[in-house]
């Protein structure tokens, strides 16, 4: 016969095991591949900040495409190929900073998606916020962005958990 203490211990272990099954993947530490996907996306943001067209080309697949959904605008989404995107940084002449936080990454056999809130600063002033949703593929020299969609939101942006840029 089980004692009340032993029944409580058994119940507690079952409860902990059940909870572990329902904890979302985003709450778990990212895997090495997920960290690589996040790092590749961050390198894109760093290349944008440096207006480094060559680095952007090295991180993207030229025939891929970015789509922008401008929230609050009465117009359809716009798009640009990743080749056109890279070219636009050849003579950018502006200071840009894009920051993401709480990225959610999914990886499966050489493909990945990254979904994260972001804020964007232009010439030191806040410009907009939104959600980035990127697709990536693993190639010989690492992860490359193949495309994605992002929202551009000028109103209703919550303060970034990263605080103001330095």
């Amino acid at each position: 016969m089980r004692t009340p203490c032993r029944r409580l211990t058994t119940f507690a272990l079952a409860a902990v095991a059940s909870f572990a099954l329902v904890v979302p993947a985003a709450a778990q530490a990212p895997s090495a591949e997920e960290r690589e996907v996040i790092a590749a996306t961050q390198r894109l943001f760093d290349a944008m900040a440096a207006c480094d067209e060559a680095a952007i080309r090295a991180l993207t697949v030229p025939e891929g495409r970015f789509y922008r959904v401008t929230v609050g605008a009465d117009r359809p989404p716009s798009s640009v190929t990743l080749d056109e995107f890279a070219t636009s940084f050849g003579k950018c002449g502006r200071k840009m900073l894009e920051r993401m936080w709480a990225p959610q990454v999914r990886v499966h056999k050489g493909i990945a998606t990254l979904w994260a809130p972001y804020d964007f600063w232009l010439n030191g002033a806040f410009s907009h916020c939104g959600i980035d949703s990127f697709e990536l593929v693993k190639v010989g020299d690492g992860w490359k962005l193949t495309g994605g969609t992002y929202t551009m939101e000028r109103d209703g942006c919550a303060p970034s958990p990263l605080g103001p840029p330095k």
Side-chain angles (χ1 to χ4, degrees), residues 7 12-13 15 27 35 47 49 51-52 62 67 69-70 81 94 117 132 150 159 162:
R7 276 185 275 158
L13 288 173
R35 288 190 303 272
C51 292
D52 189 340
Y67 291 87
V69 175
T70 304
T81 67
R94 53 197 170 198
D132 283 330
Y150 62 95
L162 303 174

Side-chain angles (χ1 to χ4, degrees), residues 82-159:
L82 296 184
D83 181 59
E84 294 165 335
F85 178 77
T87 299
S88 72
F89 286 87
K91 299 176 186 167
C92 69
R94 53 197 170 198
K95 185 178 172 188
M96 291 173 276
L97 175 64
E98 183 161 350
R99 308 180 309 163
M100 68 174 159
W101 57 90
Q104 297 176 25
V105 179
R106 298 219 175 198
V107 178
H108 181 76
K109 297 182 181 185
I111 64 170
T113 61
L114 179 141
W115 190 97
Y118 77 93
D119 63 4
F120 190 86
W121 299 75
L122 185 59
N123 297 322
F126 177 78
S127 173
H128 62 275
C129 70
I131 298 295
D132 283 330
S133 176
F134 296 134
E135 291 84 37
L136 299 91
V137 64
K138 192 167 193 177
V139 294
D141 57 347
W143 290 95
K144 290 193 177 202
L145 284 95
T146 61
T149 304
Y150 62 95
T151 63
M152 178 184 260
E153 304 170 39
R154 296 197 187 276
D155 300 316
C157 297

Side-chain angles (χ1 to χ4, degrees), residues 8-110:
L8 182 59
T9 301
T10 303
F11 174 77
L13 288 173
V16 168
S18 297
F19 178 74
L21 294 174
V22 298
V23 172
Q28 298 172 7
S31 70
E33 277 198 313
E34 290 168 339
R35 288 190 303 272
E36 290 172 12
V37 168
I38 294 166
T41 305
Q42 184 59 52
R43 283 193 299 276
L44 174 70
F45 294 161
D46 294 343
M48 290 166 52
C51 292
D52 189 340
E53 178 182 353
I56 292 170
R57 288 187 186 288
L59 292 163
T60 59
V61 174
E63 60 274 11
R65 187 169 286 279
F66 279 153
Y67 291 87
R68 177 179 66 209
V69 175
T70 304
V71 175
D74 190 21
R75 62 178 179 251
S78 60
S79 70
V80 61
T81 67
L82 296 184
D83 181 59
E84 294 165 335
F85 178 77
T87 299
S88 72
F89 286 87
K91 299 176 186 167
C92 69
R94 53 197 170 198
K95 185 178 172 188
M96 291 173 276
L97 175 64
E98 183 161 350
R99 308 180 309 163
M100 68 174 159
W101 57 90
Q104 297 176 25
V105 179
R106 298 219 175 198
V107 178
H108 181 76
K109 297 182 181 185

